[in-house]
């Protein structure tokens, strides 16, 4: 028997398989906090900021496929959750937020910390947000919020007034009119397209001579089937950023990332293919896909509302990626002419040679591409990688060769700053025996990362493998945006908005009892990675990287080039360094 509604909520969460909650307390959620104190099964991860707790819940869902659960108090705590919850929403991750609220008697009284949470969460939790106005609602609100989060791959929210949390539990409502009787459990359906649609898709793929495949997060778990499909069709496979770990980069036909952060091999493939197959991706930038009408196209996606949205598809297959590709395979005819495939492999090999060459170019003082390139070959097996939104996302996308068994993610759609470190912390809680690496800019580090490092210092001793490496790209610049200003806004660097203070993150790490390393010279890169991956505790690497190394898109449009040149003409404080670095990189294109 549960004593209070809060005790009952925890019991119900456990019945649903929730074993960990990321959050931060406050008196609006005290009933649940007290219940957590009486419970010794649910792990509570105290993030230093509710935004980080929500990022952790989003990452929990991304890394494990389970529902991520976060908790915050009424008013300010609930408000702090929002950015992390939007990250989950936009990347379609199942996350449940449980937030406190003032007591029922106070609501509507302009009471302290009274915020209209129902309205506040209406958008982020658009699939399901409800306020628990009576103890008898607890069961079905939790059941429905967890079921809908999974079925709709969405954020859901339960708002619990603090007096309801502390009221006596009602485990089963009376058998009477006006009551709701819900149950536990969600079984994902097996989603397969109709035979006629599979046949139509196979016809297109068989007729194509130059098939290009694009995979995204929805293709994770379908590696075997997609590899077989690519072999049969002699196709190349490009990866959207969230699908970075869907296929390993050592497969010779995997052309790597696509888009602004993409590779030339992927870019070339999309411009030259005559048939496109998109699997589990909602990659937004259509300018990196074939031109309208250039190709015949097939899309596979779980969600029927999300197909034919980025390219006008000839056939839409609504289904799970692995099962749908499996169903397609017997209908596909092996392509005997392998010339397309050979060219793709050649372009891909050239790309990786180019990465090595560019990584080895000198910079002032350290070339960021080198930092990632040196990390790549040293990454422990099954490492879990995250990057922040900033230049680190570019280098992760381009210079890291993902191996089989690794995981990698970031804030794909919201592209918010600050998830890099919380994602890695969540990885350590979900897989304490695997190494995790977070690549984070100094701007993001100073925005929220410094508080997340305190969370690391609080918990790392609980992890079986204590290796968590936080690599800070210390360029003293909000670098990604600086490059966007130059390339797209026709503006030189604006020093007063872009400067980031020089704070020694290695020294800060040491202050927290973590390992701190600095990379100020190229020769220090390799040894620093070796030390970090052999360390007996989490390590912060403060890498002084050159902000003038351009993260140029795979093909530069005339507009971008004009904008870029005009930015330099208008007096960019970094002109000399940029010209030097850009020439080095553009000449090899
Ligand atoms: C919360 C938030 N604020 C602002 C931005 C816009 N933005 C995107 S990348 C970036 C620069 C990040 O700088 P830093 O963390 O130092 O990384 P760098 O690009 O320098 O490697 C900014 C300001 C954003 N995406 N999210």
């Amino acid at each position: 028997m549960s004593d209070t509604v809060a005790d009952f909520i925890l019991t119900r969460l456990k019945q649903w398989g929730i074993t960990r909650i990321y959050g931060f307390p406050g008196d609006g959620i005290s009933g649940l906090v007290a219940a957590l104190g009486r419970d010794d099964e649910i792990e509570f991860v105290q993030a230093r900021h509710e935004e980080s707790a929500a990022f952790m819940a989003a990452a929990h869902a991304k890394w494990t496929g389970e529902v991520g659960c976060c908790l915050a108090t009424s008013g300010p705590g609930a408000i702090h959750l929002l950015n992390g919850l939007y990250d989950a929403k936009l990347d379609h991750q199942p996350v449940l937020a449980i937030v406190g609220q003032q007591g029922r008697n106070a609501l509507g009284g302009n009471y302290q910390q009274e915020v209209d949470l129902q309205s506040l969460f209406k958008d982020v939790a658009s699939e399901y947000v409800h306020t628990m106005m009576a103890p008898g609602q607890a069961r079905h609100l939790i059941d429905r919020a967890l079921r809908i989060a999974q079925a709709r791959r969405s954020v859901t929210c339960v708002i619990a007034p603090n007096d309801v949390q502390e009221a006596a539990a009602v485990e089963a409502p009376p058998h009477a009119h006006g009551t709701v009787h819900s149950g536990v459990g969600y079984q994902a359906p097996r989603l397969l397209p109709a035979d006629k649609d599979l046949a139509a898709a196979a016809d297109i793929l068989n007729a194509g001579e130059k098939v290009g495949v694009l995979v995204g997060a929805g293709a994770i778990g379908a590696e075997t089937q997609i590899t077989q499909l690519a072999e049969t069709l002699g196709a190349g496979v490009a990866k959207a950023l969230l699908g970075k770990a869907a296929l390993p980069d050592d497969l010779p036909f995997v052309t790597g990332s696509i888009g602004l952060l993409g590779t030339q091999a992927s870019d070339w493939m999309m411009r030259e293919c005559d048939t496109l197959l998109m699997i589990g991706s909602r990659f937004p930038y259509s300018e990196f896909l074939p031109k309208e009408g250039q190709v015949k196209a097939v899309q596979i996606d779980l969600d029927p509302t999300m197909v034919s949205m980025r390219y006008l598809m000839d056939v839409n297959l609504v289904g799970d990626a692995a099962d749908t590709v499996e169903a397609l395979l017997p209908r596909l005819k092996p392509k005997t002419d392998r010339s397309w495939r050979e060219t793709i492999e050649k372009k891909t090999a050239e790309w990786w040679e180019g990465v090595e060459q560019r990584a080895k170019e000198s910079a002032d003082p350290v070339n960021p591409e080198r930092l990632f390139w040196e990390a790549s070959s040293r990454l422990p097996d099954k490492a879990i990688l995250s990057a922040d939104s900033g230049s680190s996302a570019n280098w992760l996308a381009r210079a890291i060769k993902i191996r089989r068994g690794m995981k990698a993610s970031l804030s794909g759609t919201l592209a918010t700053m600050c998830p890099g470190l919380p994602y890695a912390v969540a990885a350590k809680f979900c897989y304490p025996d695997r190494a995790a690496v977070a690549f984070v800019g100094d701007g993001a580090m100073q925005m929220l990362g410094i508080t997340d490092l305190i969370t690391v210092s609080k918990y790392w001793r609980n992890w079986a493998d204590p290796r968590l490496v936080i690599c800070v790209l210390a360029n003293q610049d909000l670098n990604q945006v600086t490059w966007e200003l130059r390339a797209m806004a026709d503006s030189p660097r604006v020093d007063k908005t872009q400067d980031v203070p020089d704070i020694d993150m290695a020294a800060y790490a040491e202050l927290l009892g973590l390992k701190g390393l600095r990379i100020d010279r190229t020769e220090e890169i390799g040894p620093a990675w070796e030390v970090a991956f052999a360390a007996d505790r989490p390590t912060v690497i403060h890498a002084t990287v050159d902000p003038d190394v351009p993260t140029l898109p795979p093909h530069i449009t005339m507009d971008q080039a004009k904008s870029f040149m005009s930015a330099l003409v208008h007096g960019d404080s970094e002109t000399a360094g940029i010209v030097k670095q850009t020439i080095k990189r553009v000449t090899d294109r």
Side-chain angles (χ1 to χ4, degrees), residues 195-342:
D195 274 347
K196 68 171 180 27
D197 297 323
L198 287 166
D203 285 347
I204 289 175
L205 297 171
N206 287 330
E209 290 174 1
K210 299 186 284 182
V211 181
V213 181
L214 170 61
V215 300
I220 291 171
E223 180 193 328
T224 313
Q225 293 82 354
I226 294 171
T227 303
Q228 212 180 325
L229 173 138
E231 295 292 7
T232 308
L233 295 176
V237 182
K239 302 186 287 187
L241 209 38
L242 288 171
K244 170 89 181 163
L247 258 72
D249 285 306
D250 47 18
L251 294 172
F253 57 85
V254 171
T255 60
S257 303
I258 190 175
L260 275 173
L261 326 177
T263 72
Q264 282 157 282
S266 298
D267 191 53
W268 179 86
M269 182 173 77
M270 286 298 143
R271 281 187 284 127
E272 296 297 321
C273 63
D274 64 13
T275 308
L276 171 68
L277 171 60
M278 236 166 122
I279 307 176
S281 174
R282 293 149 197 180
F283 172 69
Y285 298 146
S286 45
E287 68 270 32
F288 291 95
L289 296 178
K291 289 201 175 108
E292 266 202 36
Q294 173 191 325
V295 299
K296 288 286 206 183
V298 175
Q299 183 168 6
I300 300 174
D301 202 284
L302 266 183
D303 185 341
T305 66
M306 290 290 182
V307 292
S308 218
M309 185 171 66
R310 308 293 185 219
Y311 196 84
L312 60 170
M313 298 288 163
D314 295 283
V315 178
N316 295 306
L317 298 179
V318 175
D320 168 78
D323 288 343
T324 304
V325 176
E326 182 95 49
L328 267 176
L329 283 171
R331 301 167 193 262
L332 300 179
K333 299 196 187 98
K335 298 222 188 288
T336 45
D337 180 354
R338 307 303 279 185
S339 52
W340 165 248
R341 168 62 167 267
E342 282 156 16

Side-chain angles (χ1 to χ4, degrees), residues 498-521:
Q498 301 309 106
D499 283 350
V500 173
D502 183 16
I503 307 289
D504 184 346
M505 284 299 158
Y508 176 61
E510 295 276 344
L511 182 73
L512 297 175
L514 310 176
K515 191 172 213 39
L517 299 172
R518 281 191 68 107
I519 297 177
D520 296 303
R521 289 181 304 128

Side-chain angles (χ1 to χ4, degrees), residues 144-160:
R144 297 209 67 221
L146 284 166
R147 186 168 293 113
I148 290 169
Q150 290 172 86
R152 301 261 191 266
R153 304 195 56 78
S154 61
V155 172
T156 56
C157 177
V158 173
I159 302 164

